[in-house]
Amino acid sequence: MADAEAAASAVEGLSIESAIIYIDEDGGVDSTEHPNSQETPYKTLLFALSVPGATTATFHTRKSKTVVAPAEEPSLEYKPVSGSALKKAKKLHEAAVRKSAKGAASAAQREKDAADRAEKERLKLEAAKAFVLKEDPSLPTARSIKIRTSTANRGARVKVSGWIHRLRVQAHMIFIVLRDGTGYLQCVLEGDLIKTLDALQLIEETAITIHGTIKELPEGKTAPGGHELTADYYTVVGRAPAGDEAIGSIVAPDSEQQLKLDQRHLVIRGDQASGVLKVRAGVLRAFRRSFEELGLLEVTPPCMVQTQVEGGSTLFEFQYYGEKAYLTQSSQLYLETCLPALGDVFCVQESFRAERSVTRRHLSEYTHIEGELAFISFDDLLSHLEEMISRVLEFVLADPLCKDIIKELNPDFKVPERPFMRMRYSDAIKWLNEHDIKTDEGKDHEFGDDIAEAAERKMTDDIGRPIFLTHFPVEIKAFYMKKDDSDPRVTESVDVLMPGVGEIVGGSMRMDNLDELMGGYAREGIDPAPYYWFTDQRKYGSCPHGGYGLGLERFLAWLCNRWTVRECCLYPRYVGRCTP
């Protein structure tokens, strides 16, 4: 049938010059470039039937390369087409003609329909261009509000500005979910409001101001906040692009991770990314509130330093007016100097680690929440940490916004039961070996090993609860950590491990004896001279003291069930990435 249609279309404008049409199935050509003859035959009967005038012609055919018998020569004579072959070919030809005619009619109809639609769109566009939307002067003056106060403003005429988060167009109505950072509000546009050119061009992420009345939804209908705004006027403030530049095209849900990080400024407009950042703000509020209730004062140490805290290999070095300086790894040393002057203190500061670890739990810049307390014991430090973490979770989950977001992101989250599990480092080594969890080199763990991240996380996930892992060997901990009086091989140190993310807190008691601190400098090969101000804390009225540092992004990854800490900060910085 396809051959018949092709034949019918190929012979347009062709006519025969004799009453006989010649066909050679082997040597002929179905072509309009020459008249049909014995020397220039067609190839197929179907093509010949499509030639104008073919209805009055007779058809002769031959198969010049067909061998009838081994001893015979190929036949070069034309013979009339048999009646049955002609009948079959005519039937196929007629069917093809009918189909072609029907296709042409359908194409014509489609073309007409498309033209009609285009004309309707043109008229609609012209009408929209001509239509000018005006605010009704008889209406009460709209009160400018933020979406977070929508419930308190039900029944009033309000003015709300924000970005189109979602958009749904129906026959006589446009539904917009508006976002302003404080919440979401469903808005309904209808009547004259959808007749404008702006209405035809609305797209997600367009900035818009909408006037109208907020009304509680009837039972059975749902929308953010349980209400919606019935609009009576609006203005477009900043139009977003469409097509290939639309936000849905630039940042698709299944986009590759690096592309999402390149477009982080757009990604954070999404529900999940913005939700994590809102929880982050709530967690910071909760930490500050907890510190205040526990009597700690906030201080702001410097980020540019000339001393190390956690080892020189992870320092970011830079030139400071011709001198060598570094970005701080921790504010701990400065916090210690505050104890005699300000009492127990804390800070919320950025810390920097030039650590070439490309894992889901490492950042080169992270928010470090650090506390330092005077006149405490190691048990006091552990109790304080447990109290702090528990209080923060209590405050965050009491915040309606944070609670709803966490429930959406991490529906299985449960507040850890107290007391938290305590496990000494030596017991952890035994546990790992008993459960056949090997080192990165595939060996059993030994006392003195720095337990690798993978093994530590596997142990924590298997146990399934927070762990205070304590009493690490002196050799694998920082120079300032106090030794355990009952076992000088280990320090009074602690890592707080959480299921799914591993270590989120590192802390210890600090050396309060001057001679012991000088020995710590010597052990690590550190010149004590630049640390004179830190050493003086052991000279001018030393006391037992301890502290800790908590990585906010790791805490959030645990709380919000994020795969990587990169999702828990505004613009992540790690090996190879310092943009946008």
Side-chain angles (χ1 to χ4, degrees):
M1 184 66 72
D3 291 340
E5 293 177 42
S9 63
V11 298
E12 185 177 351
L14 182 68
S15 63
I16 59 172
E17 297 183 357
S18 69
I20 300 175
I21 297 178
Y22 296 97
I23 301 160
D24 185 339
E25 295 181 10
D26 293 315
V29 178
D30 289 338
S31 172
T32 61
E33 294 182 358
H34 52 72
N36 183 262
S37 69
Q38 292 189 46
E39 290 73 28
T40 56
Y42 297 142
K43 182 177 180 64
T44 64
L45 181 55
L46 276 175
F47 186 86
L49 285 169
S50 302
V51 175
T55 53
T56 61
T58 59
F59 302 91
H60 286 197
T61 185
R62 71 178 180 182
K63 294 184 179 180
S64 61
K65 297 180 181 179
T66 300
V67 178
V68 178
E72 296 182 17
E73 292 294 327
S75 172
L76 299 177
E77 294 183 3
Y78 283 99
K79 295 180 180 181
V81 173
S82 69
S84 60
L86 184 60
K87 183 178 180 181
K88 181 179 180 181
K90 284 184 175 180
K91 188 175 181 180
L92 288 172
H93 172 66
E94 290 167 359
V97 169
R98 287 194 299 271
K99 185 175 181 180
S100 178
K102 184 177 179 180
S106 297
Q109 185 61 47
R110 287 195 298 272
E111 187 175 337
K112 181 179 181 304
D113 291 345
D116 290 345
R117 286 195 299 271
E119 179 62 13
K120 287 182 180 178
E121 287 298 318
R122 187 188 70 80
L123 294 174
K124 185 178 180 181
L125 185 62
E126 290 299 322
K129 287 180 178 178
F131 188 87
V132 178
L133 183 65
K134 295 181 179 180
E135 185 175 6
D136 186 347
S138 68
L139 293 174
T141 301
R143 180 188 309 160
S144 183
I145 68 166
K146 293 290 186 180
I147 291 176
R148 68 173 181 268
T149 63
S150 295
T151 300
N153 284 281
R154 286 181 180 176
R157 185 169 185 259
V158 298
K159 177 174 70 173
V160 189
S161 298
W163 290 263
I164 296 177
H165 192 64
R166 285 191 293 274
L167 181 70
R168 179 164 53 93
V169 180
Q170 292 186 349
H172 304 292
M173 203 173 292
I174 298 176
F175 290 89
I176 290 173
V177 175
L178 196 67
R179 179 192 77 240
D180 72 348
T182 73
Y184 300 91
L185 177 63
Q186 180 167 288
C187 307
V188 182
L189 279 59
E190 56 185 332
D192 286 349
L193 275 65
I194 64 173
K195 295 178 181 179
T196 67
L197 183 61
D198 281 335
L200 297 181
Q201 298 176 340
L202 288 177
I203 191 169
E204 289 180 2
E205 295 309 320
T206 289
I208 189 172
T209 296
I210 304 178
H211 301 64
T213 305
I214 299 175
K215 300 177 182 178
E216 185 175 1
L217 285 174
E219 189 174 347
K221 291 190 175 183
T222 59
H227 48 231
E228 65 183 13
L229 183 145
T230 301
D232 57 59
Y233 180 69
Y234 70 93
T235 55
V236 171
V237 179
R239 197 179 310 282
D244 291 342
E245 289 191 299
I247 193 168
S249 300
I250 298 295
V251 188
D254 58 351
S255 294
E256 192 268 333
Q257 187 62 33
Q258 291 302 315
L259 174 62
K260 288 184 177 180
L261 288 172
D262 289 340
Q263 304 296 330
R264 180 71 176 165
H265 58 293
L266 299 178
V267 169
I268 60 175
R269 300 186 182 202
D271 293 334
Q272 290 195 5
S274 63
V276 172
L277 294 176
K278 289 172 183 176
V279 173
R280 180 187 172 104
V283 168
L284 284 171
R285 288 194 301 271
F287 267 107
R288 285 190 163 97
R289 178 179 173 185
S290 299
F291 279 125
E292 184 176 354
E293 290 185 359
L294 293 172
L296 279 76
L297 182 72
E298 183 170 8
V299 294
T300 309
C303 287
M304 296 185 290
V305 301
Q306 291 186 307
T307 52
Q308 67 184 52
V309 182
E310 301 294 344
S313 63
T314 65
L315 286 166
F316 280 108
E317 182 179 325
F318 66 96
Q319 286 296 310
Y320 186 75
Y321 302 110
E323 293 185 312
K324 186 183 292 186
Y326 313 98
L327 296 177
T328 185
Q329 303 159 312
S330 166
S331 298
Q332 175 213 315
L333 305 189
Y334 294 100
L335 293 183
E336 288 190 48
T337 69
C338 296
L339 294 178
L342 304 171
D344 298 343
V345 291
F346 78 96
C347 71
V348 179
Q349 288 281 91
E350 298 304 289
S351 283
F352 305 86
R353 301 281 174 89
E355 187 173 356
R356 293 189 173 276
S357 296
V358 188
T359 75
R360 62 190 178 101
R361 60 196 291 266
H362 280 93
L363 291 167
S364 297
E365 176 187 11
Y366 66 99
T367 300
H368 212 171
I369 300 174
E370 299 180 82
E372 202 72 22
L373 300 95
F375 298 103
I376 62 169
S377 67
F378 186 52
D379 284 339
D380 293 335
L381 177 64
L382 299 185
S383 296
H384 168 84
L385 275 170
E386 184 175 293
E387 177 66 20
M388 273 295 302
I389 293 170
S390 299
R391 279 187 183 231
V392 168
L393 292 175
E394 178 185 346
F395 294 149
V396 171
L397 294 175
D399 181 321
L401 175 61
C402 291
K403 180 180 180 181
D404 289 345
I405 295 172
I406 293 168
K407 186 176 181 180
E408 182 71 25
L409 298 175
N410 192 5
D412 297 327
F413 180 78
K414 294 181 180 178
V415 176
E417 294 183 5
R418 300 175 67 177
F420 293 173
M421 181 178 181
R422 278 134 169 96
M423 176 187 284
R424 294 179 72 99
Y425 165 88
S426 56
D427 293 329
I429 294 294
K430 293 177 184 178
W431 192 98
L432 291 168
N433 290 332
E434 289 171 357
H435 291 78
D436 199 31
I437 298 174
K438 305 294 185 182
T439 66
D440 287 346
E441 292 75 30
K443 299 178 181 179
D444 284 344
H445 285 83
E446 297 180 357
F447 188 91
D449 287 343
D450 191 354
I451 301 173
E453 173 196 340
E456 182 181 80
R457 194 168 64 244
K458 181 71 167 60
M459 178 181 72
T460 310
D461 291 351
D462 285 356
I463 292 174
R465 56 183 294 200
I467 301 172
F468 281 172
L469 188 59
T470 66
H471 297 90
F472 290 85
V474 171
E475 291 75 19
I476 63 173
K477 284 298 181 180
F479 71 90
Y480 52 77
M481 291 190 179
K482 182 179 175 60
K483 294 178 182 179
D484 185 348
D485 291 338
S486 63
D487 185 356
R489 299 178 307 156
V490 300
T491 54
E492 290 188 325
S493 54
V494 59
D495 284 355
V496 181
L497 312 180
M498 290 295 181
V501 70
E503 179 197 349
I504 64 169
V505 179
S508 75
M509 294 298 290
R510 320 308 192 187
M511 293 177 178
D512 54 66
N513 179 276
L514 178 60
D515 292 337
E516 187 179 6
L517 179 60
M518 297 307 291
Y521 290 139
R523 185 184 75 241
E524 298 297 327
I526 297 173
D527 178 7
Y531 293 84
Y532 71 92
W533 49 274
F534 180 69
T535 306
D536 274 355
Q537 304 309 307
R538 283 77 185 165
K539 182 178 178 181
Y540 293 91
S542 184
C543 74
H545 63 286
Y548 56 90
L550 178 145
L552 177 62
E553 288 79 13
R554 291 188 184 182
F555 187 90
L556 285 165
W558 167 62
L559 183 60
C560 296
N561 192 31
R562 298 296 89 190
W563 171 251
T564 170
V565 292
R566 298 173 190 175
E567 298 179 52
C568 300
C569 52
L570 188 59
Y571 290 102
R573 298 290 184 255
Y574 58 93
V575 178
R577 178 167 291 278
C578 198
T579 57

